[in-house]
Amino acid sequence: MHSTTVPELRDRPSQPLSRRPSSIPTCHVHEHHGVRALDDQELLRWGGNRRRRYINLEDGDTIQSTPELLPVDRGAAAWNVLFAAFIFEALLWGFPLSYGVFQNYYFNHPLFRGDKNLPLVGTLATGLMFLGGLFTTPLVKRYQRYQTSMIAVGWLLCVLSLIAASFATTTGALVLTQGVLYGLGELILYYPVISIINEWFVERRGTAYGIQNCATGFSGIVFPFVLEILLNKYGFATTLRGVSVFLAITAGSCLPLFKRRLPSIKEHSEIEKTNLSFFKKSIFYFYAASNLFYGVGFYIPLLFLPSYATSIGLSGKAGALLLAVLSFAQVVGQVTFGYLSDDRINLHLLLFISPFVTAVATFTLWGFAHSLAVLIIFSIVYGFFAAAYAALWARMCTEVSDNTSAALASYSVFSFEKGIGNVLSGPISAALISQTTILGSYGILRYENLILFTGGCMLLSSSTMVAWYVKLRLAKARPTGCD
């Protein structure tokens, strides 16, 4: 089974096609037992979103059709997939994003009290999914027939990792179970879910992604409060077991909804080569640098806001409230920046504003926060501007290339960078946090270095866009004819 490019397809009078174009552009087809199938994007161009059309390229043969495929962008099956993806995103991805509540609890638990390695649990649970995307995506593309099985395996691993974590008596055990194993489960299931969404949504794919991404914002409003109550009332072991049962039932009930729309391509077939032309464009490296600095600093406030609130004398519920407020602001920020990036405001200006405002808020609001009111304001500003950066990835990808495979590859690179940032932020924050607390001082001293580091990362991220602007100005000022 292999891919080839067909320069021209000719209509056969013996088998007429509906809405047949007068001239048919170059398209990719896949051969299967001597018959070749058009790509789904090409079917849309033909108006053939209901049927997969097969053509034999030998002269004298006729065009054939297989049983109808369900339509894209509409219908119960498409929305069932999106509903299941929303639930998975809200629950399985929303849970580790609320790890700050767990970390605050663990810091004061006799088994793990004051252990500087506790941030690793949260950063690994979230970072591995981004970190592994660069390697997982080709496998998901090749082994298409196993995508639903991958989702089930990933879901099961997430559930079992929390059960295993409930028996942990050391920080190392938490890192391995609630961190590494949970992160691997997320990695295994996430990219097959994205692939299936892509099959069902083409023209409305942006809308589908927006609905899915908003899920964590909504769950982030609820999860911190629920986890705070459960941890204080039942302890971490019972809470983790209860959450695992909840995830097993709610997310597990959505597994049958993940149905693929297109027939699978066999594993031994040749996969279309990925366009890597974006590596030759200098703007890509400015994007990559900006994204890496952003990724290293982004996750730190989500980890430490609850413990910061506790350190200045606020209750655990106050820490949960801060994460909930941040999650709500995240939804609004991502939708707003995504809307503005659609040729309404210059992309590079948005890439500067997002981390720059975040840096200013971190240096000032968080650094001088000694009350709940100031921390709430910081959570709103940080959630709105910092989280909005990730909503610009899609436009960054289209800026470096208008080729579909190149855009997907560059997206994987940006995800990989954020994974590096998430994982590195754990040991870095553990090294920066102080054991001494002085109320009234900047960052109450204990978090001073952490705040300066986070703000510094965001400032460096925004500075790359300034550097790109300077590069363009210098290029325009260069005399004509100079190399």
Side-chain angles (χ1 to χ4, degrees), residues 172 313 327 366:
S327 295
W366 192 12

Side-chain angles (χ1 to χ4, degrees), residues 177-398:
T177 53
Q178 193 174 350
V180 175
L181 290 181
Y182 193 95
L184 287 176
E186 275 287 335
L187 172 62
I188 292 171
L189 70 87
Y190 183 77
Y191 293 95
V193 168
I194 293 297
S195 178
I196 293 177
I197 290 177
N198 288 345
E199 291 186 9
W200 286 101
F201 292 90
V202 179
E203 294 178 350
R204 297 182 180 178
R205 187 171 295 171
T207 300
Y209 277 25
I211 292 173
Q212 183 198 22
N213 290 336
C214 283
T216 53
F218 288 110
S219 63
I221 298 173
V222 178
F223 257 131
F225 292 110
V226 174
L227 293 175
E228 176 69 25
I229 293 173
L230 292 176
L231 286 170
N232 289 330
K233 189 172 183 179
Y234 300 107
F236 81 94
T238 301
T239 298
L240 286 172
R241 292 165 196 166
V243 171
S244 67
V245 172
F246 173 72
L247 295 180
I249 295 174
T250 53
S253 63
C254 293
L255 287 173
L257 299 179
F258 286 110
K259 296 183 182 297
R260 298 193 60 236
R261 175 177 171 269
L262 301 177
S264 300
I265 298 174
K266 290 187 177 180
E267 300 84 63
H268 56 72
S269 62
E270 181 183 340
I271 295 179
E272 182 183 358
K273 291 183 178 179
T274 300
N275 187 315
L276 300 178
S277 60
F278 60 89
F279 280 118
K280 299 178 181 179
K281 297 186 177 182
S282 58
I283 183 60
F284 168 76
Y285 296 97
F286 283 84
Y287 287 163
S290 175
N291 186 61
L292 181 60
F293 289 129
Y294 158 80
V296 174
F298 172 75
Y299 196 55
I300 291 176
L302 278 72
L303 285 175
F304 289 97
L305 272 178
S307 57
Y308 187 96
T310 301
S311 297
I312 63 174
L314 300 176
S315 65
K317 292 182 179 179
L321 173 64
L322 295 175
L323 292 182
V325 170
L326 192 151
S327 295
F328 177 77
Q330 170 185 330
V331 174
V332 180
Q334 288 181 331
V335 172
T336 301
F337 270 65
Y339 173 79
L340 294 176
S341 69
D342 287 334
D343 298 325
R344 292 176 175 85
I345 292 182
N346 184 275
L347 174 63
H348 298 157
L349 179 59
L350 294 174
L351 287 170
F352 169 79
I353 291 174
S354 170
F356 181 76
V357 175
T358 301
V360 173
T362 302
F363 287 137
T364 58
L365 293 175
W366 192 12
F368 295 102
H370 304 296
S371 66
L372 178 60
V374 178
L375 285 175
I376 288 177
I377 296 174
F378 169 72
S379 298
I380 294 173
V381 176
Y382 192 90
F384 184 90
F385 285 97
Y389 187 98
L392 303 176
W393 279 4
R395 286 282 288 111
M396 292 160 64
C397 294
T398 57

Side-chain angles (χ1 to χ4, degrees), residues 80-94:
N80 283 342
V81 166
L82 188 56
F83 172 77
F86 181 91
I87 296 299
F88 265 58
E89 183 86 3
L91 301 182
L92 293 171
W93 183 236

Side-chain angles (χ1 to χ4, degrees), residues 141-162:
K141 185 176 180 180
R142 176 174 290 276
Y143 299 101
Q144 296 178 10
R145 65 171 65 186
Y146 301 114
Q147 287 179 3
T148 54
S149 298
M150 292 176 188
I151 296 173
V153 170
W155 157 79
L156 183 60
L157 189 57
C158 288
V159 171
L160 294 179
S161 70
L162 297 185

